[in-house]
Amino acid sequence: MPEPLSIQLYTLRDQMAADRDGTLTRLAEIGYRSVEPYDPTADPAGFRKLADDLGLTVPSTHAYALFSKDPGEVFDAVRTTGTDRAIIPGGIDQELFTSLDGLQQVADRLNGFAAAAAEHGALIGYHNHWWEIEPRFEGRTALEVLAGLLAPEVFLEVDTYWAAVGGADVPALLRTLGDRVFSLHVKDGPGVKEQPHTAVGEGTIDVPPILAAAPDAVRIVELDSCAGDVFEAVAASHVYLTELEGRS
C-alpha cells in the first residue's frame, strides 16, 4: 500500500494560526489522511492528540526551528508529532549553492544536523527550491552535486514545482537521485517565480510523469500561495491526485 496522500500545513498557515483544530478537521473531511507540519514545536502533544483523533499520520515535518532553538527540544517535538524525519526547508544562504566550496559548506551544515538528529533517534532531510536547481556544474544541478556530499542517511524532499521552475527535467532528476528521495512536494501553477499557485492538475506542470519517476516517494501537496480559496484548491488537488493514482 502506498503512503497516504499528505499535505504540507504551511499551505494553510493563516488558517492554522486562526483555528488549528478546525483546519485539521476540515482537511480530514476533505479526505487527507496525512499531514506535514511546518513547526513541530508548536504544541506537539496537542497536535498529536488531535491528529490521532482525526486519523492523520505524519510522514515528516519541516524543522526550520533548528536554526533558532535547542536541537534536543526540536527533535523531541518532532518525535512527539509522530515522525522521526525532520526536514530543513530553507534558512541557508542561496549564494552557497552557486559554487562547489559553497555546496561543501551546505553539506557540512546538513551533516551536522544529521549527527545531532541521530542522537535523538531522528533523521534529517533537505527540501529544495529553484536556487538549488539553476546553478549547473558540468551539466549537473547543484542539488545533484549536494546529494553526493551528504551523509548517506540524509534524505531529500524534492519540491517538483520549484525543480521545474529552476529548469530541471524533473522526471530525469528524480531518476538520478533515486532512493535518496523520500518525498515529493507536489504543486502546480504558472511555472514562474512569484506567481500564485493553483490546484494540482490545473497549472502548467506535467504531473503524471513526475510521479511515475518516483513511485515510492510520499506525495505531499503544497501551495505556497493561492489566488483563490485555498480549501477549494487543496480539495481539488486531492481529487486529482487520488484519481490519477487510483488511490482510495
Side-chain angles (χ1 to χ4, degrees):
M1 282 290 292
E3 291 290 326
L5 179 63
S6 191
I7 182 166
Q8 166 53 244
L9 293 175
Y10 183 77
T11 302
L12 299 135
R13 55 198 176 276
D14 294 337
Q15 292 78 11
M16 288 286 292
D19 182 6
R20 181 196 68 181
D21 293 12
T23 299
L24 291 176
T25 298
R26 190 163 176 184
L27 289 172
E29 290 170 348
I30 287 170
Y32 285 96
R33 296 291 174 262
S34 175
V35 294
E36 184 181 54
Y38 56 92
D39 181 8
T41 65
D43 185 24
F47 175 90
R48 182 67 257 167
K49 182 180 185 306
L50 179 60
D52 284 341
D53 289 345
L54 295 171
L56 297 170
T57 62
V58 178
S60 54
T61 175
H62 284 188
Y64 192 83
L66 282 169
F67 290 103
S68 60
K69 297 185 178 181
D70 175 72
E73 175 191 351
V74 176
F75 290 123
D76 286 348
V78 169
R79 298 300 300 268
T80 300
T81 64
T83 183
D84 61 357
R85 292 180 181 267
I87 296 170
I88 305 298
I92 297 175
D93 183 1
Q94 297 179 27
E95 195 66 26
L96 292 176
F97 295 91
T98 63
S99 70
L100 292 174
D101 287 345
L103 287 171
Q104 185 62 63
Q105 292 180 54
V106 175
D108 291 345
R109 188 79 185 272
L110 294 175
N111 291 339
F113 279 136
E119 296 178 2
H120 297 272
L123 296 167
I124 284 291
Y126 184 73
H127 170 95
N128 69 279
H129 312 81
W130 65 85
W131 56 82
E132 300 92 343
I133 306 298
E134 287 181 345
R136 300 300 170 102
F137 301 87
E138 297 182 351
R140 302 170 71 208
T141 66
L143 183 63
E144 292 168 85
V145 176
L146 176 64
L149 300 173
L150 294 173
E153 66 271 21
V154 179
F155 63 93
L156 297 175
E157 176 176 75
V158 175
D159 188 307
T160 59
Y161 184 81
W162 291 129
V165 170
D169 176 334
V170 183
L173 175 66
L174 292 172
R175 287 190 290 267
T176 297
L177 295 172
D179 293 342
R180 202 66 181 258
V181 179
F182 168 74
S183 56
L184 307 177
H185 267 204
V186 185
K187 59 181 69 168
D188 209 341
V192 295
K193 301 169 190 173
E194 299 176 359
Q195 292 292 324
H197 297 156
T198 67
V200 180
E202 296 181 7
T204 63
I205 303 300
D206 190 6
V207 175
I210 291 173
L211 300 185
D216 298 324
V218 178
R219 283 81 162 102
I220 304 173
V221 171
E222 184 185 40
L223 286 73
D224 293 5
S225 60
C226 180
D229 182 275
V230 69
F231 279 110
E232 291 180 4
V234 299
S237 298
H238 186 276
V239 170
Y240 173 80
L241 289 168
T242 53
E243 290 180 352
L244 177 64
E245 297 198 300
R247 294 169 177 265
S248 58

